[in-house]
């Protein structure tokens, strides 16, 4: 299939089947916004290298339900078009509808801004990289989008000129939520953001105080804002204060992947392994209960690990519930991992959506961010 409208129609079917796309107006946006226009300088395909417009597999690749990397820096992805199913889910969870003013952090290719504009929102999108922002602005113009604009800057500061916003959409991995976004948001406005948690960037919904100042039922005590979980996800990390390490992280996030080579193996617990979504539910819960939890490599893949200070020891949990461990305290770590899995099972195997946390200011006092504190079910 080489015809763009047919590829778009097929993508809509895929997104509906996936479950994240339910709204007809958003389906129409996916069916009409030309993703390939936002990939005019090509994208990096793991098998085929850089695919450019005109290359045989370019158009089919542009409509895959995949994140497409559009810029590398020393081999590291620094800009992309996010996975369409994730964009659909985030737009729906954020409740972006016609007439809303939306601040997007991380313009990337501009495609997501174009989708939100196509459902009738007025979008201001910020990207920290001037060349990326220029490309996104050119793509929006080429696609005839008039309801979205791109600004260059550190998204930490938001974009005061376009405030107030009804919604904030964050499409880059952050360790917390900027107080500037809160200041630029209408009272009771909503944000979605992939916020660092246990070595991942699950998408959270972040709620601000409603206009009447009265907290909704169940609002955590003494919280200006609070968050609940939406779904597991991985995102590239934001530059600047949004990517700050927060003070109580253990192990401290460091560059480069950690890897454990197991010396101890405990058997599987489940005959059928958890699927990707459920594995992320388990990972999220273990991260909420134990601050040693992060993502690390083991057995040829990446997954949920209780990591020790050496970053080569600890215990990893596989999707079938098997525990593999390494290092001088392998047995202790394996025992702790087993207790955490039992706890998740005893709690009824809660999903990410069942968690909520008050958000508190933390990090650099010169550029603080709101981070989730004390997750509870
Ligand atoms: C995953 S891409 C965004 C995807 C985009 N929304 C799309 O649909 O094409 C993340 C973007 O965030 C940008 N970024 C990273 N740190 C940032 C920051 N502090 N402020 C604004 N943008 C940032 C990167 O330059 C990158 O282009």
């Amino acid at each position: 299939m080489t015809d763009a409208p047919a590829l778009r129609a097929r993508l809509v079917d895929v997104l509906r089947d996936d479950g994240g796309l339910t709204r007809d107006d958003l389906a129409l946006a996916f069916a009409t916004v030309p993703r390939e226009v936002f990939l005019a300088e090509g994208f990096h395909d793991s098998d085929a290298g850089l695919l450019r417009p005109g290359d045989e597999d370019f158009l089919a690749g542009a409509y895959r339900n995949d994140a497409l990397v559009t810029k590398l820096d020393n081999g590291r992805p620094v800009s992309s078009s996010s996975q369409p199913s994730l964009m659909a889910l985030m737009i729906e969870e954020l409740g972006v509808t016609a007439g809303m003013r939306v601040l997007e952090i991380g313009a990337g290719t501009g495609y997501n801004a174009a989708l939100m504009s196509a459902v009738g929102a007025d979008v201001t999108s910020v990207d920290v990289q001037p060349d990326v922002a220029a490309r996104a602005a050119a793509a929006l113009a080429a696609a005839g989008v008039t309801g979205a604009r791109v600004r260059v800057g550190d998204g930490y500061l938001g974009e005061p000129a376009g405030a107030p916003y009804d919604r904030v959409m964050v499409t880059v991995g952050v360790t917390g939520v900027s107080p500037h976004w809160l200041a630029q948001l209408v009272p009771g406005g909503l944000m979605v953001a992939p916020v660092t948690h246990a070595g991942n960037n699950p998408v959270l919904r972040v709620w601000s105080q409603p206009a009447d100042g009265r907290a909704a039922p169940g609002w955590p005590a003494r919280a200006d804002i609070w968050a609940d979980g939406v779904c597991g996800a991985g995102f590239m990390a934001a530059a600047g204060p949004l990517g700050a390490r927060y003070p109580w992280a253990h192990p401290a996030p460091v560059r480069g992947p950690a890897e454990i080579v197991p010396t101890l193996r405990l058997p599987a617990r489940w005959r059928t392994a958890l699927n990707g979504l459920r594995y992320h539910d388990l990972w999220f819960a273990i991260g909420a209960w134990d601050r040693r939890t992060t993502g690390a490599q083991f057995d040829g893949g990446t997954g949920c690990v209780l990591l020790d200070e050496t970053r080569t020891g600890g215990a990893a949990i596989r999707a079938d519930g098997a525990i593999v461990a390494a290092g001088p305290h392998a047995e202790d770590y394996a025992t702790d991992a087993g207790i955490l899995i039992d706890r998740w099972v005893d709690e009824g195997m809660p999903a990410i959506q069942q968690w909520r946390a008050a958000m508190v200011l933390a990090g650099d006092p010169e550029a603080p961010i709101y981070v989730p504190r004390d997750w509870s079910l």
Side-chain angles (χ1 to χ4, degrees):
M1 201 187 307
T2 52
D3 166 45
L7 288 165
R8 281 197 281 277
R10 192 171 65 180
L11 178 63
V12 168
D13 290 342
V14 169
L15 302 186
R16 281 197 189 276
D17 286 350
D18 181 78
L21 175 62
T22 65
R23 276 170 38 183
D24 289 341
D25 61 340
L26 186 55
L28 187 61
F30 276 102
T32 48
V33 176
R35 195 182 190 198
E36 71 277 21
V37 172
F38 295 86
L39 302 166
E41 305 216 3
F43 60 89
H44 298 270
D45 183 273
S46 50
D47 298 327
L50 182 67
L51 281 178
R52 289 176 168 281
D55 289 347
E56 194 186 337
D57 295 329
F58 172 79
L59 207 51
Y63 285 101
R64 281 197 322 245
N65 181 26
D66 277 336
L68 303 174
V69 174
T70 48
K71 185 176 173 188
L72 293 172
D73 181 14
N74 285 325
R76 191 171 57 95
V78 291
S79 195
S80 66
S81 172
S82 305
Q83 186 177 25
S85 53
L86 191 53
M87 288 190 242
L89 185 76
M90 289 173 74
I91 293 171
E92 293 213 4
E93 291 288 343
L94 192 57
V96 175
T97 53
M100 281 186 176
R101 298 166 69 84
V102 180
L103 171 65
E104 183 186 42
I105 306 299
T109 63
Y111 178 58
N112 193 46
L115 291 168
M116 293 191 285
S117 169
V119 299
D122 182 77
V123 184
T124 300
S125 189
V126 182
D127 204 289
V128 73
Q129 301 187 73
D131 59 330
V132 170
R135 270 196 236 171
L140 287 166
V145 177
T146 54
R149 64 211 62 80
V150 183
R151 301 284 179 256
V152 181
D154 187 337
Y156 176 74
L157 299 171
E159 174 54 18
Y165 302 101
D166 301 291
R167 297 286 187 267
V168 178
M169 159 75 74
V170 184
T171 60
V172 60
V174 294
T175 45
V177 165
S178 169
H180 296 282
W181 307 340
L182 196 62
Q184 292 165 26
L185 196 63
V186 298
L190 195 63
M191 316 187 228
V192 293
V195 178
T196 306
H197 174 83
N200 266 328
N201 281 102
V203 176
L204 308 182
R205 258 182 321 185
V206 181
W207 302 79
S208 65
Q209 282 276 10
D212 61 8
R214 276 187 317 179
W219 193 285
R222 297 187 303 280
D224 292 337
I225 59 173
W226 61 278
D228 58 12
V230 172
C231 66
F235 273 87
M236 58 187 61
L242 294 173
R245 299 171 180 190
Y246 51 96
W248 50 78
H250 167 73
V254 294
R255 291 197 188 283
E259 179 169 6
I260 68 171
V261 180
T263 52
L264 172 70
R265 292 183 176 273
L266 301 185
R269 290 178 177 235
W270 302 301
R271 211 173 313 144
T272 309
L274 301 172
N275 66 27
L277 282 177
R278 295 299 281 148
Y279 183 69
H280 275 273
D281 291 338
L282 170 68
W283 188 341
F284 190 97
I286 289 186
W289 288 323
D290 195 312
R291 295 206 181 279
R292 294 171 297 177
T293 313
T294 188
Q297 292 181 2
F298 61 94
D299 285 354
T302 300
C304 173
V305 172
L306 297 184
L307 197 64
D308 74 12
E309 287 80 356
T310 68
R311 296 178 58 78
T312 55
I317 299 167
R318 295 192 344 191
D320 60 5
I323 295 167
V324 299
H329 305 292
E331 282 190 21
D332 294 341
Y333 270 81
T335 302
D336 290 351
I339 291 169
L340 289 161
I341 300 173
D342 287 344
R343 183 169 174 187
W344 186 62
V345 172
D346 291 347
E347 296 273 5
M349 300 178 140
I352 288 179
Q353 298 84 350
Q354 290 170 253
W355 290 92
R356 62 166 50 185
M359 298 193 80
V360 295
L361 271 183
D364 179 355
E366 301 291 316
I369 46 176
Y370 281 99
V371 300
R373 181 117 211 210
D374 297 333
W375 285 101
S376 62
L377 287 163

